[in-house]
Amino acid sequence: MFSLLYGLWKYLFSKAEFHVLILGIDKAGKTTLLEKLKTLYSDVEGLPPDRIVPTVGLNIGRVEAHKSKLIFWDLGGQLGLRTIWEKYYEEAHAVVYVVDSASKTRFEDTKSALEKVLRHPDLQGAPILVFANKQDLPGAVNAEELSRYLELKDQKSIQSRVQGISAHEGSGIQEGVLWLVEAMKNNKRTEQLQRQAEAAVTL
Ligand SMILES: Nc1nc2c(ncn2[C@@H]2O[C@H](COP(=O)(O)OP(=O)(O)O)[C@@H](O)[C@H]2O)c(=O)[nH]1
Ligand SMILES: [Mg+2]
C-alpha cells in the first residue's frame, strides 16, 4: 500500500527531469555557459570565466529551472573528442548547440559539426537550441544572421530555435532555456525516453 501511495505521490509531485547535451566546437563557450547556468539557476556559484580550463572529459551541471530538473552534460569539443558525443545521444532529451558568433572563420566547421549531430539516428526528434554566443563582442553576428547561415528553418522536422546570448554576461540564456523546457515537455522523444525508463524500472 505504501509503495502504491508513494508511487502516486511521486507521479503527482516529482518534477520532470531532462538530460540536455551541450555541444559545439572547442572554444565556443560551452563550459562558460554551463558555469553561468549554475549561477543563474542553483545555489552553487559557477566558476568565473578566468578559472575555466579546456574541457577534456565531461562536466555536469544539475539545476532546477522553470519547474523542471535539468541535467546538463558539457562535453569536450576538440575534433578528437567529438566521437565521444555519440555515446550520450541516446539518453538526451535535447541539445544546446553553442556557437562563437564572433569567430566567422570557424562557422563552416561549426555548421558541419551541427549537421552531423542533426543527422544522427540516436538524436531523432530532439529539440535543438542554438546559442549564438559572445554577443558582447563587437564583431558578433546576431541570432537572425546565424540562423540563416545554419539553414535550420529549412529542416521542418526539427524543432529548433536560435537565441543570441552572452555566456559571460548571462544575457539571453533564460529566454532560451524556457523555450527548451517547453519544447521538451511537448515532445514525442520525451515520451519515448520516459517509457524506456519505466520499462527499465519494472524489469
Ligand atoms: N567575450 C566573450 N567570451 C566568451 C563568452 N563565452 C565564452 N567566452 C570565452 O571563450 C573562450 C572559450 O570558452 P570555453 O567555455 O572554455 O569554451 P568551450 O571549449 O566551448 O567549453 C574562453 O576564453 C571564454 O572566456 C562570451 O559570452 N563572451
Ligand atoms: Mg569546455
Side-chain angles (χ1 to χ4, degrees):
M1 187 64 192
F2 171 77
S3 66
L4 249 179
L5 283 176
Y6 179 68
L8 182 66
W9 176 82
K10 252 186 102 174
Y11 175 76
L12 290 174
F13 297 108
S14 66
K15 294 193 176 94
E17 191 174 276
F18 299 112
H19 297 158
V20 181
L21 275 174
I22 302 180
L23 301 177
I25 63 174
D26 58 296
K27 303 204 183 73
K30 299 179 294 296
T31 308
T32 309
L33 168 70
L34 181 79
E35 295 303 322
K36 197 53 149 188
L37 285 164
K38 289 184 196 166
T39 305
L40 289 171
Y41 288 114
S42 72
D43 305 331
V44 185
E45 185 71 24
L47 286 174
D50 59 354
R51 290 199 40 213
I52 293 171
V53 294
T55 311
V56 177
L58 166 72
N59 297 315
I60 297 179
R62 290 168 185 276
V63 304
E64 287 205 23
H66 313 294
K67 301 204 179 89
S68 301
K69 282 185 189 163
L70 306 179
I71 300 159
F72 287 98
W73 294 325
D74 159 36
L75 305 175
Q78 286 127 286
L79 201 52
L81 297 174
R82 287 184 212 165
T83 45
I84 298 173
W85 292 0
E86 300 183 5
K87 313 251 179 298
Y88 294 86
Y89 287 176
E90 232 177 289
E91 286 177 58
H93 290 85
V95 171
V96 169
Y97 194 84
V98 185
V99 178
D100 178 346
S101 315
S103 178
K104 294 195 186 95
T105 53
R106 301 198 70 197
F107 276 9
E108 229 179 278
D109 190 16
T110 229
K111 186 176 177 179
S112 64
L114 173 62
E115 279 166 356
K116 206 166 162 204
V117 168
L118 298 177
R119 270 199 309 271
H120 201 285
D122 290 350
L123 271 178
Q124 289 318 298
I128 311 280
L129 172 63
V130 175
F131 271 154
N133 190 27
K134 310 199 187 180
Q135 289 300 316
D136 56 291
L137 293 179
V141 303
N142 63 28
E144 207 176 305
E145 282 173 272
L146 186 70
S147 172
R148 238 177 286 132
Y149 178 80
L150 296 175
E151 298 173 304
L152 275 171
K153 280 204 188 112
D154 303 345
Q155 310 201 37
K156 297 264 183 315
S157 59
I158 300 169
Q159 229 179 328
S160 69
R161 175 184 165 117
V162 182
Q163 169 79 43
I165 68 157
S166 165
H168 270 185
E169 294 170 353
S171 59
I173 296 175
Q174 278 150 311
E175 219 177 315
V177 171
L178 179 60
W179 174 86
L180 194 67
V181 168
E182 290 307 315
M184 289 191 292
K185 278 183 185 162
N186 306 306
N187 188 282
K188 277 211 190 88
R189 184 181 170 90
T190 299
E191 278 172 37
Q192 267 162 14
L193 286 170
Q194 180 70 29
R195 269 200 299 276
Q196 278 165 16
E198 279 164 11
V201 170
T202 1
L203 280 175

